[in-house]
Amino acid sequence: MHSLKLNEEACTRCRKCVDTCFVNALKWDTSIPKGAPVLAYPADCQICCYCEKLCPTQALEIIPDWASKYIPRTLSNAKGW
Amino acid sequence: MAQLDSLGKVLSADILIVGGGISGLTAAITAKETDPSLDVLLVDKAVASKGYAGMAGRTAGLLSFVTGEDDPEDFVTYNLKEIGCYLNDQVLLRDMAHCSRRITEQLATWGVEILHNEKGKIDYAKWPFPWGTAAIDPDMCLNMSDHAKKLGVRFMDHIAVVDLLKQGERVIGAVGFEVQNGEFHIFKCSTVILANGSQNYDITLLWCGTGNGLATAWRAGAEMRNAEFGCMCDFARVDPKGWLYYGVHGGAHIAHDHLQNAKGENVSEKYRPGLHSSMDPVAANAWLQEFKLGNAPISVDASIFSHPAFFKFHPKALDQMHREAVKANFPMGQPYQVVPGFIGELGCVRVNHQMATTVPGLFAVGNVAGSGSARGGAVPTPPAKIHGTGILNALFMGSKGGPAAALHAKTVKSFGPGADLDPAQVQALKTRILAPMERQGSLTAHELIH
Ligand SMILES: Cc1cc2nc3c(=O)[nH]c(=O)nc-3n(C[C@H](O)[C@H](O)[C@H](O)COP(=O)(O)OP(=O)(O)OC[C@H]3O[C@@H](n4cnc5c(N)ncnc54)[C@H](O)[C@@H]3O)c2cc1C
Ligand code: SF4
Ligand code: SF4
């Protein structure tokens, strides 16, 4: 599934990435001391790259997993294919 | 009110707008312009107050409009004959043709940038359609939300509205919840504008409307129209691993007119000459026939992107598309193989020429009522899949629905304080809406779909 790679040092904890996500796939993880963005709903991520683009320090990267998406998986599950 | 308070956070407004993409923001601005004394509250499950909500920021930034050198009647005729199979509401279609230029020019006063030429005029391509297509800043919602705030529109972020409250036939409020902490919210308002997008969830990336606005309207008893036109096909790019990429990630949106077979022959020209608004069964059949003749793979001639008459994009849109293409392993500058795929977009809430639904007090604008407006005829939302009409559709419908909703709210207000909300009705909806939180071991939405 799609994932998020965070450069801990570069992240300023501004939370802009969470605000910019139009499908609420990103959440702010409060379980670690400084907090961090987390791709809480990876299946909802649209690979729009908006969070990456607007991060003021280029601290995050969205890594798509195309194998988890789209027809091949569905077709391989379907009968007759 | 004490009982209501115990059920959730109670808020009131004259007009509640659900959804802060292009259409919701347009409705908010034009409602306020119509009557600044009205209290307009815009809620979105994403962050609309900063302009990040909706599909606008993820678009290709192409805006279609009828330019000064075009005859609006040509736009009407093209839509009727080439796109809508004569099933269009011609009055609404003509209205849009005639006011699209005004809408486009007005955007500058809302702070939205459209690329201009050196003569200071809007720069547009007259190709491949017989009207203009200009490049618009895909961050237009940032400017529009700033403008709306200046006019006094109130915003609440991370609020998902689920159902409407009614007294008899009339809408008197809505209920929903805060998406991050689950807090239940109760809205008292005489007028609701649904601007919360279409249904196309998990079919094509970026086209990600969950259709919950349609469900809200349906449960409130609103009539639907043209739901049968919610599906269509489009080409998808297939990579060597057999993975399919649709839409912007696929770069296959213009494929239908530029297909070539393994022999290098122009398949589109052979089966469906000329330029077309979208894929249709003839184009799908062209692919199939060539496949049967042993002429596969069928690919797209990527040189089309460097055609001098091709649309110009806003630099921000180009940057956005480039990032997405890189993520999707797009073979830049190379021909790429395509197969007929599926794309669907449903927006079937029935609205009249003022964007009023069949439920008194309920209006719907933008994608949620795209095909329900019947403006586009036999096509899915946004009508139709012609480059640049999604934004125009959202702007047009928003600028019709905002003023009409304002007049409605003003009239209701003149009759005195609105109807009291019924705590029993709110309680019943709250129980139903929050029921999934109580269930153990149920399916996720993704598991249900696949
Ligand atoms: C990748 C892509 C490229 C495109 N390119 C172009 C183009 O170049 N030109 C063009 O004209 N059109 C284009 N379009 C289409 C165009 O972007 C859309 O038609 C238009 O933005 C729709 O606006 P809208 O306001 O109707 O809906 P949306 O932008 O979908 O807004 C709906 C809003 O409602 C919110 N919402 C949903 N449900 C709820 C709820 N229950 N409670 C609260 N809020 C809710 C959502 O968070 C969202 O902000 C493109 C679309 C995509 C996805
Ligand atoms: S936008 Fe960038 S810097 Fe800010 S919280 Fe997100 S990752 Fe960190
Ligand atoms: S890529 Fe887009 S959808 Fe995915 S987390 Fe970032 S902003 Fe959200």
Side-chain angles (χ1 to χ4, degrees):
Chain A
M1 196 30 82
H2 313 315
S3 56
L4 180 154
K5 193 168 138 201
L6 184 71
N7 179 337
E8 291 280 350
E9 268 85 70
C11 176
T12 60
R13 270 70 195 174
C14 70
R15 300 192 190 200
K16 191 168 184 176
C17 49
V18 177
D19 274 1
T20 60
C21 184
F22 71 138
V23 290
N24 291 315
L26 290 175
K27 292 256 175 282
W28 191 251
D29 183 357
T30 48
S31 68
I32 51 172
K34 284 195 267 179
V38 55
L39 189 57
Y41 301 102
D44 280 344
C45 172
Q46 304 293 311
I47 319 291
C48 74
C49 315
Y50 216 63
C51 51
E52 272 185 19
K53 186 169 87 173
L54 295 197
C55 170
T57 58
Q58 280 88 54
L60 92 167
E61 191 187 340
I62 294 291
I63 300 165
D65 172 14
W66 296 106
S68 72
K69 196 73 199 163
Y70 289 156
I71 308 295
R73 181 185 47 153
T74 315
L75 289 187
S76 60
N77 292 343
K79 289 197 177 70
W81 282 81
Chain B
M1 216 44 158
Q3 252 183 304
L4 265 189
D5 281 347
S6 67
L7 292 171
K9 190 167 178 176
V10 183
L11 298 123
S12 62
D14 294 317
I15 302 178
L16 176 72
I17 301 181
V18 185
I22 303 173
S23 66
L25 288 168
T26 306
I29 291 169
T30 54
K32 262 294 192 192
E33 283 173 349
T34 305
D35 187 344
S37 73
L38 291 173
D39 181 8
V40 178
L41 174 62
L42 188 153
V43 301
D44 197 297
K45 63 183 179 183
V47 178
S49 69
K50 295 181 186 167
Y52 297 139
M55 300 207 288
R58 282 77 183 170
T59 69
L62 295 170
L63 171 69
S64 272
F65 72 111
V66 179
T67 73
E69 56 176 316
D70 301 325
D71 180 350
E73 286 307 312
D74 290 344
F75 177 87
V76 174
T77 309
Y78 186 95
N79 272 269
L80 282 175
K81 278 189 174 171
E82 308 288 334
I83 301 172
C85 302
Y86 294 94
L87 290 173
N88 315 57
D89 178 328
Q90 294 186 34
V91 175
L92 200 61
L93 179 61
R94 187 161 283 110
D95 191 4
M96 182 165 117
H98 282 270
C99 65
S100 85
R101 193 166 141 217
R102 180 184 52 74
I103 292 172
T104 303
E105 287 170 356
Q106 188 187 26
L107 284 171
T109 64
W110 298 352
V112 175
E113 188 197 6
I114 300 179
L115 291 190
H116 282 60
N117 59 24
E118 48 298 336
K119 290 185 193 140
K121 300 267 186 238
I122 292 178
D123 200 5
Y124 52 80
K126 291 275 297 171
W127 179 89
F129 310 112
W131 56 84
T133 303
I136 190 166
D137 181 355
D139 284 339
M140 60 191 294
C141 287
L142 273 70
N143 306 95
M144 287 172 72
S145 67
D146 280 348
H147 186 68
K149 272 179 265 176
K150 279 189 205 130
L151 295 177
V153 174
R154 291 191 295 135
F155 284 81
M156 283 180 77
D157 297 326
H158 289 142
I159 301 288
V161 164
V162 184
D163 271 308
L164 301 172
L165 298 167
K166 288 173 72 181
Q167 188 182 58
E169 285 305 302
R170 179 168 296 282
V171 166
I172 54 168
V175 290
F177 59 90
E178 217 277 0
V179 295
Q180 294 190 324
N181 62 21
E183 188 181 12
F184 199 71
H185 282 62
I186 304 155
F187 299 93
K188 187 181 173 193
C189 52
S190 69
T191 311
V192 174
I193 305 178
L194 289 177
N196 46 352
S198 49
Q199 149 60 29
N200 43 18
Y201 181 68
D202 220 23
I203 297 170
T204 304
L205 276 180
L206 298 171
W207 278 262
C208 53
T210 53
N212 54 74
L214 304 173
T216 301
W218 172 261
R219 285 193 296 267
E223 263 179 46
M224 302 287 139
R225 174 160 58 166
N226 289 345
E228 64 274 34
F229 305 136
C231 298
M232 62 179 180
C233 47
D234 200 0
F235 283 103
R237 171 166 64 90
V238 58
D239 79 358
K241 292 190 189 111
W243 297 346
L244 295 191
Y245 302 84
Y246 283 89
V248 177
H249 295 101
H253 254 17
I254 44 96
H256 54 83
D257 283 337
H258 307 285
L259 301 175
Q260 63 182 16
N261 63 20
K263 295 179 185 164
E265 293 166 342
N266 187 329
V267 171
S268 300
E269 214 40 50
K270 188 166 153 191
Y271 294 84
R272 200 177 67 143
L275 296 167
H276 302 268
S277 63
S278 54
M279 181 180 171
D280 69 358
V282 181
N285 187 46
W287 187 96
L288 186 65
Q289 293 310 319
E290 290 296 309
F291 183 83
K292 281 187 181 165
L293 289 170
N295 291 339
I298 317 296
S299 55
V300 172
D301 176 2
S303 66
I304 186 65
F305 293 114
S306 43
H307 191 290
F310 202 71
F311 312 115
K312 288 189 191 69
F313 292 98
H314 192 281
K316 284 190 200 164
L318 272 181
D319 175 69
Q320 179 78 13
M321 286 187 286
H322 183 75
R323 282 168 189 272
E324 289 159 5
V326 169
K327 292 268 180 203
N329 314 311
F330 189 75
M332 308 283 182
Q334 311 276 319
Y336 48 92
Q337 199 182 326
V338 292
V339 294
F342 174 78
I343 170 172
E345 190 159 13
L346 186 67
C348 55
V349 177
R350 181 183 188 128
V351 287
N352 66 12
H353 295 171
Q354 281 72 47
M355 306 304 140
T357 71
T358 53
V359 174
L362 181 64
F363 293 74
V365 296
N367 277 0
V368 71
S371 33
S373 76
R375 195 265 294 159
V379 289
T381 288
K385 202 208 81 152
I386 15 175
H387 308 276
T389 52
I391 295 174
L392 181 64
N393 176 60
L395 289 167
F396 171 68
M397 292 179 84
S399 63
K400 285 273 149 195
L407 284 178
H408 179 270
K410 193 175 172 178
T411 309
V412 176
K413 209 172 173 179
S414 69
F415 291 130
D420 284 333
L421 303 184
D422 172 9
Q425 191 185 17
V426 174
Q427 175 66 70
L429 288 173
K430 183 177 178 182
T431 306
R432 191 179 63 75
I433 290 166
L434 299 184
M437 310 298 285
E438 309 294 329
R439 284 186 205 125
Q440 302 287 325
S442 54
L443 292 173
T444 67
H446 292 275
E447 285 163 337
L448 193 67
I449 292 166
H450 292 291

